[in-house]
Amino acid sequence: MTTTSERHSEAPAREGSKRVSQSVFDGSRLRVVLLVDVYDGAQQQFLEAYEQLCNQVASVPGHVSDQLCQSIENPSQWLITSEWESAPPFLTWVNSEEHVRMVQPLHSCVRDTRSLRFHIVRETGVATAQMPPEERRLQTHPRIGDGVIRHALTFTVQPGSEEKVRKILSDYASPEARVDDTTRLCRTSLFMHGNRVVRAIEVRGDLMAALRHVARQPEVRAVEEAINPYLEQERDLNDQESARVFFTRAALPAVHHVSAGEEPEGRRQALCYPARPGCGMRLAELLSEADTVAADDPASPVLRSTVFERDDIVMRLVDVRGDRDVEALPAGSRAAAEVRELLDEEAARMALITDRRSPGA
């Protein structure tokens, strides 16, 4: 079977498109950087927890190597770097229940963490210079971004509570858009299908700072408390560990974004694709490829598309031209057939609950 990384290392030319501002599917190697602030006096406990985690991660498919570094200026500051064959296997692991269990021992000795993910674009060194180009698997072209970070959260509510939750989510007051001098909330879109809720957010600046800012806003906290009784997965937002586990499981990362250029905003639509077990990433890749082609076609309704994926949940957020509806399946019969094969049930259009843009966004 050909892997995602192998397919794209063979044919990377399409990554030269200046329209693609975000993608995990170019097949190049991934560098993950985790900044860790350890509680004073807990350094040895942290080191032991890391050694246990390191032994487990070594057997994860796609993992290449990792390093643990301690600051020479502040012993409470640590840096963990890891290299992966490509982004998809890392995302499959980091968004899994296995990962939630693996990192549990670290949380009792860690004050704060920040994770950064980078495709490797260039390398230097004797070994690299002697390596054939086809084995380097570096990002071929730098992507052109628009300064916006896209992220989503998803969770399910108890069957029968959908209308109550819909009303709660549609009536809340918008939080303050300005986070700090460099970070601002741009847009929040809420969708539902059945008992599944998806909240997609767009941020300029620091995503984690924006998420922490939103969580502290009284308007948002009131909404979160109001829907608590209806959630299928219980949580206590006043308990740091409970809240962390809930939002870790709710994270629905963006894996691809494409834009048709500087055209005006379109009408926003969302489709949910329940994938067969283990097929979510490949399904997301096929949808991403189809939307990249569509964004280059002036006759297509697609103005912008973001594909989100976690485990077997794939969500496609599309801004469309005029009053047209975007098709659920790719235009090509071959790609459409493969998408059908990967689906556990038919793709569904999600109902828009609210779509809010910040002034000046």
Side-chain angles (χ1 to χ4, degrees):
M1 179 178 178
T2 304
T3 65
T4 299
S5 300
E6 288 168 345
R7 279 192 303 271
H8 288 273
S9 60
E10 291 168 0
R14 70 178 182 85
E15 289 301 322
S17 171
K18 292 185 178 180
R19 298 186 186 278
V20 178
S21 61
Q22 178 182 1
S23 183
V24 305
F25 297 119
D26 68 1
S28 55
R29 285 180 289 139
L30 182 75
R31 175 75 64 189
V32 180
V33 178
L34 183 65
L35 305 174
V36 183
D37 186 12
V38 176
Y39 287 118
D40 295 337
Q43 283 81 4
Q44 185 59 38
Q45 179 187 351
F46 169 74
L47 184 59
E48 292 171 358
Y50 168 79
E51 292 289 353
Q52 180 181 354
L53 176 63
C54 184
N55 292 333
Q56 295 172 318
V57 175
S59 62
V60 174
H63 176 264
V64 176
S65 63
D66 53 61
Q67 287 184 322
L68 176 65
C69 310
Q70 186 176 21
S71 170
I72 62 174
E73 298 168 334
N74 182 352
S76 294
Q77 293 179 348
W78 295 71
L79 174 71
I80 301 173
T81 67
S82 61
E83 185 174 318
W84 296 75
E85 292 177 358
S86 63
F90 166 76
L91 292 173
T92 297
W93 172 70
V94 81
N95 293 325
S96 68
E97 286 297 314
E98 179 186 15
H99 176 260
V100 173
R101 292 190 297 269
M102 276 189 189
V103 301
Q104 186 70 33
L106 288 175
H107 291 292
S108 61
C109 50
V110 169
R111 182 183 293 109
D112 192 23
T113 62
R114 184 181 182 188
S115 179
L116 305 170
R117 296 98 183 254
F118 301 87
H119 273 146
I120 300 175
V121 179
R122 297 292 183 269
E123 274 188 320
T124 59
V126 175
T128 300
Q130 295 175 346
M131 186 183 300
E134 63 272 13
E135 294 183 13
R136 295 178 190 172
R137 303 219 338 246
L138 306 179
Q139 182 177 307
T140 309
H141 302 278
R143 289 183 295 273
I144 307 301
D146 57 4
V148 176
I149 302 172
R150 296 165 176 87
H151 190 67
L153 298 169
T154 185
F155 52 88
T156 55
V157 297
Q158 298 168 13
S161 68
E162 292 89 348
E163 286 305 315
K164 294 177 182 177
V165 172
R166 185 190 304 267
K167 180 170 174 40
I168 293 170
L169 294 176
S170 62
D171 287 348
Y172 74 96
S174 298
E176 171 61 40
R178 182 183 181 277
V179 177
D180 53 38
D181 291 342
T182 59
T183 300
R184 182 180 182 85
L185 302 172
C186 298
R187 190 172 184 175
T188 300
S189 305
L190 272 158
F191 295 87
M192 287 186 69
H193 174 69
N195 68 333
R196 179 165 295 282
V197 178
V198 173
R199 177 189 289 137
I201 63 172
E202 298 177 2
V203 173
R204 287 189 182 275
D206 187 326
L207 174 63
M208 294 310 299
L211 293 176
R212 286 192 291 266
H213 166 80
V214 169
R216 290 193 297 264
Q217 299 304 299
E219 303 91 342
V220 174
R221 288 195 66 87
V223 170
E224 299 290 357
E225 292 292 344
I227 65 173
N228 269 350
Y230 307 114
L231 296 176
E232 285 200 312
Q233 179 191 341
E234 293 184 3
R235 68 180 182 187
D236 179 1
L237 294 180
N238 295 316
D239 179 87
Q240 185 175 356
E241 183 63 13
S242 174
R244 184 195 66 77
V245 170
F246 178 87
F247 287 111
T248 296
R249 289 174 171 152
L252 189 63
V255 294
H256 187 91
H257 173 78
V258 65
S259 172
E262 299 300 324
E263 298 189 39
E265 293 290 342
R267 188 164 53 92
R268 181 151 282 194
Q269 301 180 358
L271 296 98
C272 184
Y273 296 79
R276 288 166 44 201
C279 296
M281 189 62 76
R282 176 57 181 156
L283 176 58
E285 182 183 13
L286 285 171
L287 296 173
S288 300
E289 291 174 349
D291 280 338
T292 297
V293 173
D296 281 328
D297 181 3
S300 164
V302 176
L303 281 173
R304 292 168 189 82
S305 168
T306 308
V307 177
F308 301 86
E309 185 271 345
R310 179 189 181 90
D311 294 335
D312 303 322
I313 303 168
V314 180
M315 199 271 278
R316 184 169 162 238
L317 183 65
V318 187
D319 290 341
V320 299
R321 294 180 173 92
D323 59 357
R324 302 167 64 183
D325 286 335
V326 68
E327 295 294 330
L329 299 176
S333 58
R334 188 173 179 179
E338 187 173 355
V339 166
R340 287 193 189 95
E341 285 294 316
L342 299 175
L343 288 172
D344 197 40
E345 55 187 78
E346 287 189 11
R349 297 186 185 276
M350 304 192 77
L352 178 63
I353 306 304
T354 181
D355 184 25
R356 306 181 183 203
R357 293 182 60 103
S358 302

